[in-house]
Amino acid sequence: MRWGRALVVLGLVSLLSACGAEYDPLFIGGAVSKPVIGWRECPGAEHDGIAEVGLYKWARSGTADDPGELLWHIEADEGHVLHRISLGEAPTGFTTRLPLTTELDSGTTYALRTNMTSDELVSGFLTFRPDQLAVGQVVFSSGKGESLKDYESRDNEDFGCFAG
């Protein structure tokens, strides 16, 4: 069973990186008062789900590996994963490593980093400003925003989801 899961994970990693996915499947959407972090699911793929999330205050010299000051961090307990998580909350099955104790400033840029349950081989990264958030809108691919309808109508191959 573990070998099969490892092969699925390696296949997904290959699809997301080597096959030239245009966008990272990580997104954030919803109202400023209740943003939701999400991972675009590939039809037929069996990647597991979000296992860890960190919210950072984006540093001017930040990178995906070192985005800035960590403001919030949660991690899934064994066997618990989700594809949607409310920003600042630790859903059932997750442990808070660092609680979110500050209110987000609308004009400040923040970064999100996620790891999937697949041994942290698949991860997501994006930057956003809270003033980009609104009901029916999503932000993905490091600051690219659009309506949820337009986002959902994008070709799955843009996100590394390729039909088998």
Side-chain angles (χ1 to χ4, degrees):
M1 184 69 165
R2 286 185 162 221
W3 282 105
R5 180 175 160 184
L7 289 174
V8 167
V9 168
L10 289 174
L12 184 58
V13 169
S14 296
L15 289 175
L16 289 174
S17 57
C19 291
E22 185 175 352
Y23 302 115
D24 188 322
L26 178 65
F27 66 89
I28 186 167
V32 175
S33 62
K34 192 73 168 169
V36 174
I37 301 160
W39 186 265
R40 186 178 177 110
E41 298 179 61
C42 295
E46 295 192 22
H47 57 79
D48 301 331
I50 299 171
E52 183 176 12
V53 180
L55 172 71
Y56 299 80
K57 185 174 181 181
W58 181 246
R60 288 184 193 263
S61 61
T63 65
D65 291 329
D66 187 14
E69 177 188 358
L70 181 63
L71 301 175
W72 173 66
H73 182 211
I74 62 171
E75 193 170 3
D77 302 330
E78 192 161 331
H80 290 90
V81 296
L82 295 173
H83 289 97
R84 304 290 182 274
I85 296 174
S86 294
L87 182 73
E89 297 180 9
T92 302
F94 280 71
T95 300
T96 301
R97 301 290 182 208
L98 178 64
L100 182 60
T101 59
T102 64
E103 195 168 309
L104 302 185
D105 176 66
S106 65
T108 298
T109 300
Y110 297 92
L112 281 172
R113 283 180 38 178
T114 60
N115 286 320
M116 307 306 281
T117 57
S118 49
D119 300 323
E120 299 181 7
L121 292 175
V122 179
S123 62
F125 176 81
L126 67 79
T127 59
F128 72 98
R129 290 181 329 277
D131 62 9
Q132 292 178 283
L133 301 176
V135 174
Q137 294 289 120
V138 295
V139 179
F140 64 104
S141 192
S142 289
K144 182 171 181 58
E146 65 187 12
S147 74
L148 180 59
K149 181 180 177 184
D150 288 345
Y151 176 83
E152 289 178 341
S153 69
R154 283 185 176 274
D155 191 316
N156 282 324
E157 289 185 10
D158 291 346
F159 297 90
C161 301
F162 298 93

